[in-house]
Amino acid sequence: MIDAILESPYINSLPVLFEGLKLTVLITFSGLFLGFILGAIVGIGRLSKKKLVRSISIVYIEVVRGTPILVQVLFIYYGLTEDLIGLSINSLTAAIIAITINAAAYIAEIVRGAVYSIEKGQGEAGRSLGLTENDTMRYIIWPQAFKRMIPPLGNQFVISLKDTSLFSVIAVGELLYMGKQYYNVTYEIFETLLMVSILYLLITIPTSVYLRRLERKLDV
């Protein structure tokens, strides 16, 4: 019985799928880390009193959110040729850039909404204490706003994780791509795609459960 389970097509596909899962997680975490930095800058820019900064931030958010991530990664990988930009972008780099740019647009709105939700009296209190506008943001508003960002940032992680499956079109060896490579050889399509789905769920479901608990704990 045990030997039959171990030799089943479901189990046999796991070594290959785990290799893809590693790359999926790498792309997701790298893209979201860089995306948070860029998104925070754009989000703060969205709130800027300077019209030019605010306008650039709005245009960035609307353009990125208004175009599919699949188009974005194809544009980065195939559109930004070496002749055009002076360097070659491999598929993995293109995938990380795409996640970064795409996630940043959504994170910018998360940042903007969280900062905007802090009572105006908090900023006024900071300035009454002699803090500059930047110091007020850094020491008073941002810590409170960041607490409110955590649940939606977790949701963005789940979305970006699933978005990596689109990068198989540029031959990034993520989870779905490795699954396709495996069933193209074994013809075990149902079994392989079922295991691909299970591996995604093993990440997304615990993450979603944890986020719901965290949201109740933070009371946000």
Side-chain angles (χ1 to χ4, degrees):
M1 179 67 177
I2 295 178
D3 290 339
I5 294 174
L6 293 177
E7 292 300 321
S8 72
Y10 301 98
I11 301 300
N12 288 339
S13 65
L14 285 178
V16 174
L17 297 182
F18 278 137
E19 290 301 314
L21 184 61
K22 291 177 185 177
L23 204 54
T24 291
V25 172
L26 172 64
I27 295 169
T28 304
F29 276 102
S30 300
L32 283 182
F33 174 76
L34 297 173
F36 178 76
I37 296 173
L38 179 58
I41 294 171
V42 176
I44 297 299
R46 179 75 172 77
L47 296 168
S48 176
K49 295 177 180 178
K50 297 179 181 179
K51 186 176 180 180
L52 178 61
V53 174
R54 190 170 64 252
S55 297
I56 292 173
S57 299
I58 292 172
V59 169
Y60 173 84
I61 292 169
E62 294 303 322
V63 168
V64 174
R65 292 179 63 179
T67 54
I69 190 172
L70 182 58
V71 174
Q72 294 164 13
V73 75
L74 290 173
F75 179 82
I76 293 168
Y77 187 61
Y78 293 113
L80 300 181
T81 61
E82 188 171 359
D83 292 337
L84 184 64
I85 63 175
L87 54 89
S88 177
I89 300 178
N90 61 38
S91 59
L92 177 59
T93 303
I96 293 174
I97 292 173
I99 286 289
T100 299
I101 292 173
N102 187 270
Y106 292 92
I107 290 172
E109 286 296 275
I110 293 172
V111 170
R112 182 192 66 81
V115 171
Y116 193 75
S117 70
I118 303 301
E119 296 77 6
K120 292 183 179 180
Q122 298 282 342
E124 294 170 357
R127 287 188 289 274
S128 69
L129 294 173
L131 296 175
T132 65
E133 188 172 340
N134 289 337
D135 285 341
T136 300
M137 173 64 72
R138 179 180 178 183
Y139 295 111
I140 297 178
I141 296 176
W142 184 261
Q144 298 178 72
F146 184 74
K147 177 182 175 182
R148 299 183 182 184
M149 294 177 207
I150 294 175
L153 286 175
N155 291 331
Q156 184 59 47
F157 167 79
V158 173
I159 292 169
S160 295
L161 178 76
K162 292 186 292 184
D163 282 345
T164 60
S165 63
L166 299 172
F167 300 152
S168 60
V169 299
I170 58 170
V172 176
E174 44 72 50
L175 179 55
L176 180 59
Y177 179 83
M178 296 304 289
K180 288 180 178 179
Q181 294 296 99
Y182 183 80
Y183 72 60
N184 282 339
V185 174
T186 64
Y187 301 102
E188 295 165 347
I189 299 176
F190 174 83
E191 295 88 344
T192 304
L193 290 179
L194 178 61
M195 295 308 296
V196 167
S197 300
I198 289 173
L199 289 176
Y200 277 120
L201 290 172
L202 286 176
I203 298 177
T204 58
I205 290 178
T207 301
S208 298
V209 171
Y210 173 75
L211 288 173
R212 285 195 292 271
R213 290 180 179 176
L214 183 62
E215 191 169 352
R216 288 196 294 268
K217 182 178 180 181
L218 295 175
D219 192 26
V220 294

